[in-house]
Amino acid sequence: KQEVTQIPAALSVPEGENLVLNCSFTDSAIYNLQWFRQDPGKGLTSLLLIQSSQREQTSGRLNASLDKSSGRSTLYIAASQPGDSATYLCAVSEAAGNKLTFGGGTRVLVKP
Amino acid sequence: NAGVTQTPKFQVLKTGQSMTLQCAQDMNHEYMSWYRQDPGMGLRLIHYSVGAGITDQGEVPNGYNVSRSTTEDFPLRLLSAAPSQTSVYFCASSYDYRAYEQYFGPGTRLTVT
């Protein structure tokens, strides 16, 4: 059974520092990996989708890498801002369809 | 485009009552799914559908029923609510069952007393 882990569970950084969020998964037979942002009491907003054949994906200040063989993905957020404070979730899509298995999330606080 | 919409936003039920959580999308997506989010358990898949008329069970299907009569709608029915079903429920959709980006609704916060 696929298991997805995100460490640390919480992270606090000063504004302007780069954020590095980690995601690991146990079964490398994935179709894709998706990073989401969730604000308190809100739904999930998709940030980046990396296909299994890709090594990385970029959008603005966000960059996500994928290493299938080691079962790891990293989300980098450059020059963090207080507005980046949220919970970040990673999820992998199983090879047998589009069912997502989620990690527990990393709660990020960016201090002004 | 409204994206994925869910109603109601909040609901309180008594044990044993039934209700339907509504989910609709206007993106002509074939694939739709339901997740529940619980503290310490993360998000878990309840049911999913790869197209109208086709549904299947996810990781935690017990106590829930779904049907998919149209591409746009994917309601989730609680047959006899239990306190263990207190959770936040999210509906999601994607272009089809393959490796496409998934879009989530705003969620329904359900409390069963």
Side-chain angles (χ1 to χ4, degrees):
Chain A
K1 181 187 171 187
Q2 178 77 266
E3 290 182 7
V4 181
T5 304
Q6 292 183 249
I7 296 173
L11 186 59
S12 179
V13 300
E15 182 177 2
E17 194 166 296
N18 295 334
L19 280 165
V20 180
L21 306 178
N22 298 305
C23 173
S24 61
F25 47 95
T26 55
D27 187 346
S28 62
I30 63 170
Y31 266 12
N32 63 32
L33 185 144
Q34 200 166 350
W35 282 95
F36 295 91
R37 169 186 172 136
Q38 186 176 29
D39 293 289
K42 303 292 186 184
L44 281 68
T45 301
S46 177
L47 297 174
L48 289 169
L49 172 72
I50 313 177
Q51 302 291 354
S52 61
S53 58
Q54 296 177 313
R55 297 283 292 184
E56 68 175 346
Q57 193 67 253
T58 298
S59 175
R61 293 186 294 113
L62 277 59
N63 174 277
S65 66
L66 174 64
D67 184 342
K68 266 185 57 174
S69 60
S70 67
R72 292 184 183 180
S73 176
T74 303
L75 177 67
Y76 300 91
I77 303 177
S80 62
Q81 303 167 359
D84 295 328
S85 298
T87 296
Y88 292 83
L89 297 156
C90 72
V92 298
S93 176
E94 293 182 11
N98 213 0
K99 295 174 281 187
L100 294 176
T101 301
F102 281 85
T106 295
R107 190 170 66 253
V108 171
L109 176 63
V110 180
K111 297 179 180 176
Chain B
N1 255 358
V4 180
T5 58
Q6 292 183 239
T7 57
K9 284 188 168 39
F10 301 95
Q11 183 71 49
V12 178
L13 288 179
K14 293 188 188 313
T15 297
Q17 286 184 317
S18 63
M19 80 158 294
T20 300
L21 279 63
Q22 301 292 345
C23 174
Q25 52 87 13
D26 61 358
M27 298 174 281
N28 204 30
H29 284 174
E30 290 292 327
Y31 185 91
M32 296 184 75
S33 55
W34 278 100
Y35 291 83
R36 59 178 288 175
Q37 185 176 35
D38 303 290
M41 302 294 291
L43 282 120
R44 293 176 292 168
L45 181 65
I46 305 172
H47 285 286
Y48 65 97
S49 169
V50 299
I54 307 169
T55 64
D56 206 346
Q57 296 180 350
E59 183 184 353
V60 287
N62 293 341
Y64 306 96
N65 201 359
V66 292
S67 60
R68 182 100 179 268
S69 55
T70 67
T71 299
E72 295 78 20
D73 301 297
F74 190 42
L76 178 72
R77 279 181 284 276
L78 280 69
L79 308 172
S80 177
S84 61
Q85 293 179 303
T86 293
S87 186
V88 182
Y89 291 86
F90 291 102
C91 178
S93 75
S94 68
Y95 181 72
D96 69 18
Y97 71 95
R98 291 169 292 180
Y100 288 98
E101 188 172 11
Q102 296 207 34
Y103 299 88
F104 280 73
T108 294
R109 186 173 296 272
L110 175 69
T111 302
V112 182
T113 60

